[in-house]
């Protein structure tokens, strides 16, 4: 068996050479077979079948017939919205259901910013819609 091992040592150059030889032979055969397959209106079924087999073999050799496989569970999950998108959609649905007054309060809070809104709410005044800060209000109250 040891005297046969060199026969199985195939290099990349050997593989490339054999690939090219096979591809050239199949290309020549494909020309002849294809011409025969379409002659007389395609009546030669055997030539048509051989033409197809040659094309399949060359496609397999070149690797452009490799089927792309999909895991259908992953495809289905990919089509569904993410958890973040679901939560965001639920929040927006709640916001849309709010009354106009609640929406106006939210908009005003966003305009003021959290610090200023909190300061106005903690000031104990009823003038929360004013753009003046708490110290300015207290200063204005003490002057009058």
């Amino acid at each position: 068996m040891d005297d046969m091992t060199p026969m199985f040592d195939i290099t990349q150059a050997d593989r490339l050479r054999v690939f090219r030889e096979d591809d050239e032979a199949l290309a020549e055969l494909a020309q002849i077979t294809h011409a025969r397959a379409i002659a007389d209106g395609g009546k030669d079924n055997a030539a048509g079948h051989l033409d197809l087999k040659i094309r399949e073999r060359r496609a397999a050799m070149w690797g452009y017939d490799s089927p792309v496989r999909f895991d259908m569970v992953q495809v289905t999950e990919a089509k569904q919205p993410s958890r973040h998108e679901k939560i965001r959609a639920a929040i927006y649905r709640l916001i849309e259901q709010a009354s106009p007054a609640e929406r106006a309060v939210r908009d005003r809070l966003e305009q003021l910013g959290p610090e200023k809104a909190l300061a106005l709410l903690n000031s104990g005044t009823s003038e929360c819609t004013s753009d003046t800060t708490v110290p300015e209000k207290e200063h204005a109250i003490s002057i009058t």
Side-chain angles (χ1 to χ4, degrees):
M1 192 74 173
D2 290 334
D3 55 340
M4 292 184 69
T5 51
M7 190 170 86
F8 295 113
D9 291 336
I10 300 172
T11 65
Q12 290 295 333
D14 293 333
R15 290 179 193 273
L16 183 59
R17 180 182 46 78
V18 171
F19 178 87
R20 287 181 177 160
E21 288 173 2
D22 287 351
D23 190 48
E24 287 176 15
L26 287 170
E28 290 175 24
L29 187 58
Q31 286 180 344
I32 297 166
T33 308
H34 184 71
R36 191 176 293 158
I38 61 172
D40 295 328
K43 292 181 182 177
D44 190 351
N45 288 339
H49 183 72
L50 183 57
D51 184 36
L52 179 62
K53 294 303 274 182
I54 293 168
R55 290 173 186 272
E56 287 175 352
R57 176 66 185 132
R58 289 187 80 196
M61 286 174 60
W62 284 96
Y64 56 84
D65 74 334
S66 299
V68 177
R69 296 184 183 188
F70 295 101
D71 183 357
M72 294 313 290
V73 174
Q74 289 180 349
V75 170
T76 304
E77 287 178 5
K79 290 181 182 177
Q80 295 178 356
S82 69
R83 280 183 71 191
H84 174 73
E85 291 170 340
K86 288 178 183 179
I87 292 169
R88 187 175 182 183
I91 291 169
Y92 280 123
R93 278 194 306 272
L94 287 174
I95 290 171
E96 289 173 4
Q97 293 173 357
S99 69
E102 289 173 323
R103 279 190 241 155
V105 167
R106 255 190 227 102
D107 290 342
R108 186 66 178 140
L109 285 173
E110 286 178 17
Q111 289 172 356
L112 292 172
E115 291 84 14
K116 190 172 183 180
L118 188 58
L120 289 172
L121 289 170
N122 287 337
S123 70
T125 65
S126 61
E127 300 176 22
C128 290
T129 58
S130 173
D131 286 336
T132 58
T133 63
V134 173
E136 291 176 53
K137 284 184 186 176
E138 290 173 359
H139 182 64
I141 293 172
S142 64
I143 294 174
T144 54

